Amino acid sequence: MIIFRARFIAPILDGRKTQTRRLWSKARVRAGGIYEGRTYRAGKPFARLHVTDIGKERLGDVSEEDAVKEGYTTSAEFLKDFFAMHDGKFKPGIEWLDHQVWVLSFEVMA
């Protein structure tokens, strides 16, 4: 299962959002796996997602192309929203942009 905020359902279903970044300490999915896409609120899945790639990268290395795959117009817009969604989850002394995150690329299964 991969959890998303409800506002990401439409961009995922219409193919505008094909990546997500996570603060996991270890990978919780694997490339090639098929997972239910769900929202934070309990309920039935909104999609079956095929994870096509997974890896780690520095949060500050998000490119403009990656931001579009995340469903945003620019990397600055993505980072602003990412920090707002994860407010308080970064330990003092760790530079936010140097933090390693998991990057999942996925596609919706028909």
Side-chain angles (χ1 to χ4, degrees):
M1 172 178 8
I2 305 173
I3 306 292
F4 294 90
R5 295 185 186 270
R7 66 188 168 108
F8 292 122
I9 293 173
I12 289 169
L13 293 178
D14 68 17
R16 287 181 288 132
K17 181 171 175 62
T18 60
Q19 276 189 358
T20 190
R21 282 161 174 72
R22 301 301 165 117
L23 295 175
W24 298 335
S25 58
K26 62 181 181 177
R28 296 182 186 173
V29 300
R30 61 181 168 77
I34 298 172
Y35 302 89
E36 293 180 341
R38 291 184 178 253
T39 63
Y40 281 98
R41 297 182 187 263
K44 64 181 182 177
F46 65 85
R48 290 179 52 221
L49 303 174
H50 173 233
V51 175
T52 58
D53 193 29
I54 183 170
K56 286 187 93 170
E57 77 173 12
R58 199 176 75 90
L59 188 56
D61 291 338
V62 173
S63 68
E64 297 302 311
E65 180 181 337
D66 289 334
V68 170
K69 290 177 183 177
E70 281 275 4
Y72 296 87
T73 307
T74 65
S75 60
E77 179 186 28
F78 164 75
L79 290 170
K80 180 180 177 183
D81 197 40
F82 187 89
F83 295 140
M85 284 190 292
H86 296 93
D87 185 39
K89 292 186 180 177
F90 291 92
K91 296 178 182 176
I94 294 178
E95 175 59 45
W96 287 10
L97 295 177
D98 285 335
H99 195 82
Q100 292 287 313
V101 294
W102 287 98
V103 182
L104 287 68
S105 295
F106 60 86
E107 59 190 11
V108 175
M109 301 291 295

